[in-house]
Short mmCIF file of all heavy atoms in Angstrom, two decimals:
data_model
loop_
_atom_site.label_atom_id
_atom_site.label_comp_id
_atom_site.label_asym_id
_atom_site.label_seq_id
_atom_site.Cartn_x
_atom_site.Cartn_y
_atom_site.Cartn_z
N ALA A 15 59.94 111.23 81.06
CA ALA A 15 59.20 110.71 80.00
C ALA A 15 60.20 109.98 79.05
O ALA A 15 61.34 110.41 78.91
CB ALA A 15 58.47 111.80 79.15
N ASP A 16 59.78 108.88 78.46
CA ASP A 16 60.65 108.14 77.61
C ASP A 16 61.24 108.95 76.45
O ASP A 16 62.34 108.78 76.02
CB ASP A 16 59.98 106.86 77.04
CG ASP A 16 59.70 105.81 78.08
OD1 ASP A 16 60.38 105.81 79.11
OD2 ASP A 16 58.84 104.94 77.82
N SER A 17 60.42 109.91 76.00
CA SER A 17 60.85 110.76 74.84
C SER A 17 61.98 111.68 75.13
O SER A 17 62.60 112.17 74.22
CB SER A 17 59.65 111.56 74.34
OG SER A 17 59.09 112.35 75.38
N VAL A 18 62.23 111.98 76.42
CA VAL A 18 63.31 112.92 76.79
C VAL A 18 64.44 112.24 77.60
O VAL A 18 65.44 112.91 77.85
CB VAL A 18 62.71 114.12 77.61
CG1 VAL A 18 61.60 114.72 76.84
CG2 VAL A 18 62.32 113.70 79.00
N LYS A 19 64.29 111.03 77.94
CA LYS A 19 65.27 110.31 78.71
C LYS A 19 66.64 110.31 77.96
O LYS A 19 66.72 109.97 76.85
CB LYS A 19 64.81 108.90 79.04
CG LYS A 19 65.68 108.19 80.13
CD LYS A 19 64.94 106.86 80.53
CE LYS A 19 63.59 107.11 81.11
NZ LYS A 19 62.99 105.75 81.54
N GLY A 20 67.67 110.69 78.70
CA GLY A 20 68.99 110.75 78.14
C GLY A 20 69.32 112.10 77.54
O GLY A 20 70.48 112.44 77.27
N ARG A 21 68.32 112.95 77.32
CA ARG A 21 68.55 114.31 76.77
C ARG A 21 68.25 115.39 77.85
O ARG A 21 68.85 116.40 77.78
CB ARG A 21 67.63 114.53 75.54
CG ARG A 21 67.91 113.54 74.43
CD ARG A 21 67.17 113.94 73.16
NE ARG A 21 65.71 113.85 73.35
CZ ARG A 21 64.91 114.90 73.21
NH1 ARG A 21 65.36 116.06 72.95
NH2 ARG A 21 63.58 114.78 73.45
N PHE A 22 67.29 115.18 78.65
CA PHE A 22 66.84 116.13 79.68
C PHE A 22 67.34 115.70 81.03
O PHE A 22 67.35 114.56 81.36
CB PHE A 22 65.33 116.40 79.70
CG PHE A 22 64.77 117.06 78.46
CD1 PHE A 22 65.53 117.27 77.34
CD2 PHE A 22 63.45 117.43 78.45
CE1 PHE A 22 64.98 117.85 76.23
CE2 PHE A 22 62.90 118.03 77.35
CZ PHE A 22 63.60 118.21 76.18
N THR A 23 67.63 116.69 81.87
CA THR A 23 67.99 116.38 83.27
C THR A 23 67.31 117.39 84.20
O THR A 23 67.41 118.58 84.04
CB THR A 23 69.53 116.51 83.48
OG1 THR A 23 70.25 115.69 82.55
CG2 THR A 23 69.88 116.14 84.89
N ILE A 24 66.58 116.80 85.13
CA ILE A 24 65.90 117.66 86.13
C ILE A 24 66.76 117.71 87.46
O ILE A 24 67.33 116.71 87.81
CB ILE A 24 64.47 117.16 86.40
CG1 ILE A 24 63.69 118.17 87.25
CG2 ILE A 24 64.46 115.79 87.07
CD1 ILE A 24 62.21 117.90 87.41
N SER A 25 66.80 118.81 88.04
CA SER A 25 67.50 119.00 89.29
C SER A 25 66.67 119.92 90.24
O SER A 25 65.85 120.72 89.80
CB SER A 25 68.94 119.52 89.09
OG SER A 25 68.94 120.80 88.45
N ARG A 26 67.01 119.81 91.51
CA ARG A 26 66.24 120.62 92.47
C ARG A 26 67.20 121.17 93.55
O ARG A 26 68.10 120.51 94.05
CB ARG A 26 65.20 119.70 93.10
CG ARG A 26 64.31 120.36 94.13
CD ARG A 26 63.20 119.44 94.58
NE ARG A 26 62.34 119.97 95.63
CZ ARG A 26 61.24 119.41 96.11
NH1 ARG A 26 60.81 118.32 95.59
NH2 ARG A 26 60.58 120.03 97.09
N ASP A 27 66.97 122.41 93.92
CA ASP A 27 67.68 123.00 95.05
C ASP A 27 66.65 123.32 96.06
O ASP A 27 65.92 124.32 96.01
CB ASP A 27 68.37 124.33 94.52
CG ASP A 27 69.22 124.94 95.56
OD1 ASP A 27 69.00 124.79 96.78
OD2 ASP A 27 70.28 125.64 95.22
N ASN A 28 66.59 122.49 97.07
CA ASN A 28 65.57 122.61 98.11
C ASN A 28 65.74 123.91 98.96
O ASN A 28 64.77 124.47 99.30
CB ASN A 28 65.60 121.37 99.05
CG ASN A 28 65.14 120.10 98.39
OD1 ASN A 28 64.36 120.12 97.46
ND2 ASN A 28 65.59 118.95 98.83
N ALA A 29 66.95 124.29 99.19
CA ALA A 29 67.23 125.50 100.02
C ALA A 29 66.67 126.68 99.30
O ALA A 29 66.12 127.62 99.91
CB ALA A 29 68.68 125.61 100.29
N LYS A 30 66.91 126.71 97.95
CA LYS A 30 66.44 127.86 97.17
C LYS A 30 64.98 127.72 96.68
O LYS A 30 64.44 128.63 96.05
CB LYS A 30 67.37 128.15 95.94
CG LYS A 30 68.74 128.58 96.34
CD LYS A 30 69.62 128.80 95.12
CE LYS A 30 71.03 129.26 95.56
NZ LYS A 30 71.85 129.50 94.35
N ARG A 31 64.42 126.54 96.87
CA ARG A 31 63.10 126.17 96.43
C ARG A 31 63.01 126.42 94.88
O ARG A 31 62.04 126.98 94.40
CB ARG A 31 62.04 127.08 97.15
CG ARG A 31 61.97 126.77 98.66
CD ARG A 31 61.06 127.79 99.33
NE ARG A 31 60.98 127.48 100.79
CZ ARG A 31 60.40 128.24 101.59
NH1 ARG A 31 59.89 129.42 101.33
NH2 ARG A 31 60.31 127.88 102.92
N MET A 32 63.94 125.82 94.24
CA MET A 32 64.00 125.92 92.78
C MET A 32 64.17 124.57 92.12
O MET A 32 64.69 123.63 92.72
CB MET A 32 65.18 126.83 92.27
CG MET A 32 65.06 128.34 92.71
SD MET A 32 66.31 129.32 91.98
CE MET A 32 65.68 129.30 90.21
N VAL A 33 63.64 124.47 90.92
CA VAL A 33 63.79 123.24 90.10
C VAL A 33 64.31 123.72 88.75
O VAL A 33 63.85 124.73 88.24
CB VAL A 33 62.50 122.46 90.04
CG1 VAL A 33 61.40 123.19 89.37
CG2 VAL A 33 62.76 121.08 89.35
N HIS A 34 65.14 122.89 88.13
CA HIS A 34 65.63 123.26 86.82
C HIS A 34 65.46 122.04 85.86
O HIS A 34 65.45 120.93 86.29
CB HIS A 34 67.18 123.60 86.91
CG HIS A 34 67.47 124.62 87.95
ND1 HIS A 34 67.41 125.94 87.68
CD2 HIS A 34 67.94 124.52 89.20
CE1 HIS A 34 67.75 126.69 88.77
NE2 HIS A 34 68.06 125.84 89.70
N LEU A 35 65.40 122.43 84.65
CA LEU A 35 65.38 121.38 83.60
C LEU A 35 66.39 121.70 82.50
O LEU A 35 66.15 122.67 81.75
CB LEU A 35 63.97 121.25 83.01
CG LEU A 35 63.72 120.21 81.99
CD1 LEU A 35 63.79 118.77 82.67
CD2 LEU A 35 62.39 120.31 81.25
N GLN A 36 67.45 120.96 82.49
CA GLN A 36 68.48 121.11 81.47
C GLN A 36 68.01 120.29 80.28
O GLN A 36 67.91 119.08 80.38
CB GLN A 36 69.80 120.70 81.99
CG GLN A 36 70.92 120.76 81.00
CD GLN A 36 71.25 122.16 80.60
OE1 GLN A 36 71.33 123.05 81.42
NE2 GLN A 36 71.46 122.42 79.31
N MET A 37 67.82 120.93 79.14
CA MET A 37 67.42 120.30 77.89
C MET A 37 68.48 120.40 76.88
O MET A 37 68.86 121.45 76.42
CB MET A 37 66.13 121.01 77.41
CG MET A 37 64.99 121.00 78.40
SD MET A 37 63.48 121.71 77.70
CE MET A 37 63.97 123.42 77.48
N ASP A 38 69.05 119.22 76.51
CA ASP A 38 70.05 119.08 75.52
C ASP A 38 69.60 118.32 74.34
O ASP A 38 68.60 117.58 74.35
CB ASP A 38 71.36 118.45 76.11
CG ASP A 38 71.94 119.19 77.28
OD1 ASP A 38 72.02 120.45 77.19
OD2 ASP A 38 72.38 118.54 78.23
N SER A 39 70.29 118.46 73.21
CA SER A 39 69.93 117.78 71.94
C SER A 39 68.43 117.90 71.64
O SER A 39 67.73 117.02 71.34
CB SER A 39 70.26 116.26 72.08
OG SER A 39 71.67 116.06 72.40
N LEU A 40 68.04 119.20 71.67
CA LEU A 40 66.61 119.46 71.42
C LEU A 40 66.13 119.11 70.02
O LEU A 40 66.91 119.25 69.07
CB LEU A 40 66.34 120.95 71.70
CG LEU A 40 66.26 121.33 73.24
CD1 LEU A 40 66.42 122.79 73.38
CD2 LEU A 40 64.93 120.82 73.79
N LYS A 41 64.92 118.62 69.97
CA LYS A 41 64.33 118.25 68.67
C LYS A 41 63.02 119.13 68.45
O LYS A 41 62.47 119.59 69.38
CB LYS A 41 63.88 116.76 68.76
CG LYS A 41 65.06 115.83 69.03
CD LYS A 41 64.47 114.42 69.18
CE LYS A 41 65.63 113.44 69.53
NZ LYS A 41 65.10 112.07 69.71
N PRO A 42 62.72 119.23 67.16
CA PRO A 42 61.46 120.05 66.86
C PRO A 42 60.22 119.50 67.62
O PRO A 42 59.37 120.30 68.01
CB PRO A 42 61.30 119.85 65.34
CG PRO A 42 62.67 119.71 64.89
CD PRO A 42 63.38 118.92 65.92
N GLU A 43 60.16 118.19 67.88
CA GLU A 43 59.07 117.63 68.55
C GLU A 43 58.97 118.04 70.03
O GLU A 43 58.05 117.73 70.77
CB GLU A 43 58.93 116.11 68.43
CG GLU A 43 60.30 115.47 68.71
CD GLU A 43 61.04 115.15 67.44
OE1 GLU A 43 61.18 116.03 66.62
OE2 GLU A 43 61.59 113.97 67.37
N ASP A 44 60.03 118.67 70.56
CA ASP A 44 60.07 119.19 71.93
C ASP A 44 59.33 120.51 72.05
O ASP A 44 59.15 121.02 73.19
CB ASP A 44 61.46 119.30 72.44
CG ASP A 44 62.26 118.01 72.55
OD1 ASP A 44 61.68 117.08 73.10
OD2 ASP A 44 63.43 117.98 72.20
N THR A 45 58.99 121.11 70.92
CA THR A 45 58.32 122.39 70.88
C THR A 45 56.95 122.29 71.72
O THR A 45 56.13 121.44 71.30
CB THR A 45 58.04 122.81 69.46
OG1 THR A 45 59.30 123.14 68.88
CG2 THR A 45 57.30 124.17 69.53
N ALA A 46 56.77 123.13 72.63
CA ALA A 46 55.58 123.12 73.49
C ALA A 46 55.65 124.26 74.55
O ALA A 46 56.72 124.91 74.65
CB ALA A 46 55.44 121.78 74.20
N ALA A 47 54.54 124.49 75.18
CA ALA A 47 54.54 125.29 76.36
C ALA A 47 54.90 124.47 77.54
O ALA A 47 54.27 123.39 77.74
CB ALA A 47 53.22 125.97 76.59
N TYR A 48 55.90 124.83 78.28
CA TYR A 48 56.36 124.12 79.48
C TYR A 48 55.87 124.74 80.76
O TYR A 48 56.04 125.93 81.00
CB TYR A 48 57.88 123.96 79.46
CG TYR A 48 58.39 123.00 78.39
CD1 TYR A 48 58.34 123.30 77.03
CD2 TYR A 48 58.96 121.79 78.83
CE1 TYR A 48 58.81 122.40 76.10
CE2 TYR A 48 59.45 120.93 77.86
CZ TYR A 48 59.38 121.25 76.54
OH TYR A 48 59.87 120.34 75.60
N TYR A 49 55.35 123.92 81.64
CA TYR A 49 54.73 124.38 82.87
C TYR A 49 55.39 123.77 84.11
O TYR A 49 55.62 122.57 84.14
CB TYR A 49 53.24 124.04 82.94
CG TYR A 49 52.42 124.73 81.87
CD1 TYR A 49 52.22 124.11 80.61
CD2 TYR A 49 51.80 126.00 82.08
CE1 TYR A 49 51.46 124.70 79.68
CE2 TYR A 49 51.09 126.56 81.09
CZ TYR A 49 50.89 125.91 79.83
OH TYR A 49 50.12 126.54 78.90
N CYS A 50 55.77 124.60 85.02
CA CYS A 50 56.32 124.09 86.30
C CYS A 50 55.19 123.75 87.24
O CYS A 50 54.13 124.44 87.33
CB CYS A 50 57.20 125.14 86.88
SG CYS A 50 57.89 124.80 88.46
N ASN A 51 55.33 122.62 87.94
CA ASN A 51 54.37 122.15 88.87
C ASN A 51 54.97 121.89 90.16
O ASN A 51 56.05 121.25 90.31
CB ASN A 51 53.68 120.93 88.34
CG ASN A 51 52.79 120.23 89.36
OD1 ASN A 51 53.17 119.25 89.99
ND2 ASN A 51 51.65 120.79 89.59
N GLY A 52 54.33 122.37 91.22
CA GLY A 52 54.71 122.06 92.66
C GLY A 52 53.60 121.23 93.22
O GLY A 52 52.44 121.68 93.35
N GLU A 53 53.84 120.03 93.58
CA GLU A 53 52.92 119.06 94.13
C GLU A 53 52.97 118.94 95.63
O GLU A 53 54.03 118.82 96.17
CB GLU A 53 53.02 117.70 93.47
CG GLU A 53 52.01 116.70 93.75
CD GLU A 53 52.42 115.70 94.87
OE1 GLU A 53 53.58 115.43 94.98
OE2 GLU A 53 51.50 115.25 95.65
N GLY A 54 51.83 119.02 96.28
CA GLY A 54 51.81 118.84 97.75
C GLY A 54 52.53 119.90 98.47
O GLY A 54 53.27 119.65 99.45
#
């Protein structure tokens, strides 16, 4: 999303079947419930 570009980084470990979201320089407007999604 444009609002997080440059601040958040998503990564994936296929072997471990995990996904991570590194969130830096957090802002109050980032406050929310965050949901993980696996598609297909």
Side-chain angles (χ1 to χ4, degrees):
D16 288 340
S17 59
V18 307
K19 193 172 297 182
R21 299 188 297 118
F22 292 8
T23 303
I24 190 169
S25 60
R26 180 173 177 173
D27 187 331
N28 291 333
K30 296 181 178 180
R31 295 171 178 169
M32 296 189 70
V33 64
H34 307 278
L35 185 68
Q36 179 66 42
M37 304 184 293
D38 298 321
S39 302
L40 282 162
K41 304 175 181 179
E43 50 262 45
D44 295 318
T45 296
Y48 284 70
Y49 298 89
C50 178
N51 170 258
E53 187 261 331

